[in-house]
Amino acid sequence: MAQVESFSLDHTKVKAPYVRKAGVYTGPKGDKVSKFDLRFTQPNKEFMNSAGMHALEHLMATYMRDYLEDIIDLSPMGCRTGFYLTVWGEPDVKDIISGLEKTLKEVVKATEVPATTEVQCGNYLEHSLEEAVGYANKLLSQGISDKVFG
């Protein structure tokens, strides 16, 4: 059976919020892809509501590209405690944190959630701008660490 990196992380010992480099993968032609764990809430203690997290995903996917290069994808975690960010290359965690902070400052100023029509989104009715802004404000006030274990 394949080993899943995130299943090896002791979720009882991490201290959110944080950003960690969860892995670097090398393609057959030598291309590097990095995966980052953007942890917003404390695992098994708090989680984001679906509508707020969904709106936050849309907002971050839009704004983050203004502050970070080579983004492949931003994906919500099924446990609803954060997101995975996948990028080309091997950027430093501190650069990802800086880009995330700038992105969240844009989120708190947002007046609408992008791409929320039936054509653009597979669950277009489930978005909460108010919750997304609340999550962004909370993270900005707490500060984002590069220390996974506090």
Side-chain angles (χ1 to χ4, degrees):
M1 183 183 319
Q3 192 72 351
V4 178
E5 183 277 334
S6 63
F7 296 168
S8 300
L9 179 69
D10 187 340
H11 288 73
T12 65
K13 294 187 175 155
V14 299
K15 179 72 174 116
Y18 63 79
V19 171
R20 75 177 179 97
K21 189 176 279 190
V24 178
Y25 307 92
T26 304
K29 296 183 180 179
D31 294 330
K32 301 282 186 183
V33 174
S34 295
K35 175 179 152 185
F36 291 89
D37 171 345
L38 313 179
R39 195 66 62 147
F40 279 50
T41 66
Q42 187 62 36
N44 299 305
K45 303 288 183 201
E46 25 173 17
F47 59 91
M48 291 181 269
N49 292 324
S50 294
M53 186 174 196
H54 191 192
L56 187 56
E57 174 198 4
H58 279 233
L59 289 157
M60 287 173 51
T62 301
Y63 294 132
M64 193 171 270
R65 286 169 167 79
D66 292 337
Y67 301 108
L68 294 170
E69 295 181 2
D70 300 321
I71 292 176
I72 296 170
D73 190 38
L74 176 75
S75 306
M77 294 178 178
C79 60
R80 294 184 285 147
T81 61
F83 298 88
Y84 286 114
L85 175 67
T86 310
V87 299
W88 290 107
E90 297 183 73
D92 187 80
V93 169
K94 293 201 184 286
D95 293 331
I96 300 299
I97 291 172
S98 175
L100 177 57
E101 288 171 340
K102 291 173 185 171
T103 298
L104 294 174
K105 288 176 183 175
E106 294 295 330
V107 169
V108 299
K109 297 187 293 187
T111 57
E112 65 181 324
V113 178
T116 57
T117 69
E118 187 175 10
V119 171
Q120 299 167 310
C121 179
N123 192 3
Y124 76 104
L125 295 176
E126 188 175 47
H127 291 277
S128 172
L129 176 61
E130 180 181 352
E131 287 180 3
V133 168
Y135 296 138
N137 271 321
K138 182 178 180 186
L139 206 65
L140 287 168
S141 69
Q142 289 178 318
I144 305 163
S145 177
D146 64 347
K147 309 275 186 284
V148 177
F149 298 103

